Amino acid sequence: MSKFFKRMELLRTTYKLTTRELAMILNIKAPSITMWEKEKAQPTLFMFDRICNLFAVSSDFMLGHTDFPYNESFLLKLEDDIINYHFGEQYFGSHKDLASDLHLDTTYLDQKLRIENYTQGERANIIFLANMYISYRIARYADTVPEEARYCLPLIGDKTLLKRFENQEYLYLCHLNDALFKHQRQKDGSFPTPFYNLENPI
């Protein structure tokens, strides 16, 4: 697991998350993240899987078996989850419009076009941003969401916290829309650099 600790810090800092925010999204206490990064503890298998799913990176990357973060079949699975979520009807009440706010580009919905038009890094960004948007949206309406679907559990009575959640939700939705719709190749034929870039040599 020695590589895991370095990868954990790399992911958190690349994706511009504080230990507190990441802990909130994973529904654990912030000191746990710090302990992982300082190699003083390690996550459970369940939490390890959640980390891989959130950042859309392979378990082989997290364990140091490869320096390339992405695995095509894993990305496709996570993308199917996002697309199924988009067309699903998991929630109700004040939360019912969550999925409809995910405006997935037609290019993204078509698997062949998605692979042709988005790099794996861009696709991982989209998965991360969708997860973060969903997490913050769920957190603001935690009382209407089934227990097993909650990513984080804020104090609903804290209006300051709720406002911050609303702002973060909007920020991630804006980044998500940028990632979905600004994927055209550059004039030299190259793809744009992902907002959160793990594709440089590590």
Side-chain angles (χ1 to χ4, degrees), residues 41-61:
Q42 61 187 44
T44 63
L45 182 58
F46 171 76
M47 194 57 59
F48 179 81
D49 287 341
R50 288 196 70 176
I51 292 164
C52 291
N53 291 344
L54 175 64
F55 294 106
V57 294
S58 71
S59 58
D60 282 341
F61 171 75

Side-chain angles (χ1 to χ4, degrees), residues 6-188:
K6 293 182 175 62
R7 299 293 205 230
M8 188 70 240
E9 184 175 13
L10 174 69
L11 287 171
R12 183 180 61 76
T13 55
T14 299
Y15 280 83
K16 308 181 190 307
L17 297 173
T18 64
T19 55
R20 182 179 180 184
E21 184 177 16
L22 179 56
M24 183 190 69
I25 295 301
L26 296 174
N27 196 21
I28 59 176
K29 295 181 179 180
S32 296
I33 307 293
T34 303
M35 294 288 280
W36 296 344
E37 293 182 359
K38 291 184 176 180
E39 304 185 30
K40 293 183 178 179
Q42 61 187 44
T44 63
L45 182 58
F46 171 76
M47 194 57 59
F48 179 81
D49 287 341
R50 288 196 70 176
I51 292 164
C52 291
N53 291 344
L54 175 64
F55 294 106
V57 294
S58 71
S59 58
D60 282 341
F61 171 75
M62 291 303 294
L63 294 173
H65 298 157
T66 177
D67 284 337
F68 189 69
Y70 311 117
N71 174 278
E72 183 63 29
S73 60
F74 187 52
L75 285 176
L76 289 172
K77 174 194 174 299
L78 295 176
E79 287 165 342
D80 284 344
D81 290 343
I82 295 295
I83 292 170
N84 290 337
Y85 188 98
H86 171 65
F87 289 109
E89 297 181 354
Q90 293 92 333
Y91 304 113
F92 54 87
S94 58
H95 198 62
K96 65 184 178 182
D97 59 340
L98 190 157
S100 64
D101 285 347
L102 291 173
H103 301 295
L104 300 181
D105 182 63
T106 53
T107 301
Y108 185 81
L109 292 173
D110 184 292
Q111 183 182 111
K112 182 179 179 181
L113 291 177
R114 188 190 321 140
I115 294 171
E116 291 176 351
N117 289 277
Y118 297 89
T119 65
Q120 289 186 327
E122 289 176 307
R123 290 161 61 194
N125 273 206
I126 290 168
I127 292 166
F128 169 79
L129 291 166
N131 281 330
M132 294 299 286
Y133 164 68
I134 291 167
S135 297
Y136 274 103
R137 184 57 173 270
I138 287 176
R140 290 204 298 122
Y141 296 109
D143 56 335
T144 67
V145 181
E147 177 72 29
E148 64 274 11
R150 301 180 191 178
Y151 280 69
C152 44
L153 304 173
L155 296 173
I156 298 303
D158 188 333
K159 292 183 179 179
T160 301
L161 183 60
L162 285 175
K163 181 62 178 177
R164 183 167 67 83
F165 277 22
E166 184 178 1
N167 291 340
Q168 286 296 100
E169 173 193 324
Y170 179 72
L171 176 65
Y172 282 115
L173 183 60
C174 288
H175 285 327
L176 175 59
N177 286 332
D178 283 348
L180 282 165
F181 295 101
K182 295 182 180 179
H183 57 83
Q184 292 85 359
R185 290 176 184 262
Q186 308 293 331
K187 291 182 179 179
D188 61 2

